[in-house]
Amino acid sequence: MYARRRHVYFAMMGTCLALFVLAWGVVRLWSVPVAVGMCVVAMVIPPLAAMVANRRGPDDRWWDDPSGDPKSDEWWDELDDKRRP
């Protein structure tokens, strides 16, 4: 799951970079408002890419990691109906 999120992140960031470069390298020669619009779209992509990359998937069981406190871990295991050997 992590590799998939990483690939999506890099694809989104590549799209952002391509939009920015194409906007001011090519499109501005024909239409400056379209180039500005492309940059606005490119501006929105990085925060969305960061959210996609940092999203927790259903297979990411980060909350199951032991905290180091045996009493607390035992209590949480009891709540989750999970017994440690």
Side-chain angles (χ1 to χ4, degrees):
M1 204 60 170
Y2 173 72
R4 181 175 177 217
R5 286 195 311 259
R6 190 177 62 204
H7 289 132
V8 171
Y9 172 79
F10 283 121
M12 290 176 78
M13 292 306 289
T15 302
C16 174
L17 186 61
L19 279 171
F20 184 74
V21 169
L22 285 173
W24 295 113
V26 178
V27 176
R28 74 170 169 89
L29 299 173
W30 288 280
S31 175
V32 173
V34 172
V36 170
M38 288 173 68
C39 284
V40 168
V41 171
M43 179 182 67
V44 173
I45 293 175
L48 295 176
M51 285 188 270
V52 166
N54 292 316
R55 181 180 60 88
R56 297 285 184 189
D59 296 337
D60 296 339
R61 302 291 296 201
W62 57 274
W63 58 86
D64 287 345
D65 293 338
S67 67
D69 179 17
K71 184 84 169 156
S72 175
D73 292 339
E74 180 182 328
W75 183 75
W76 282 107
D77 289 343
E78 181 182 338
L79 284 177
D80 292 337
D81 289 331
K82 185 172 66 174
R83 305 284 183 242
R84 291 186 189 258

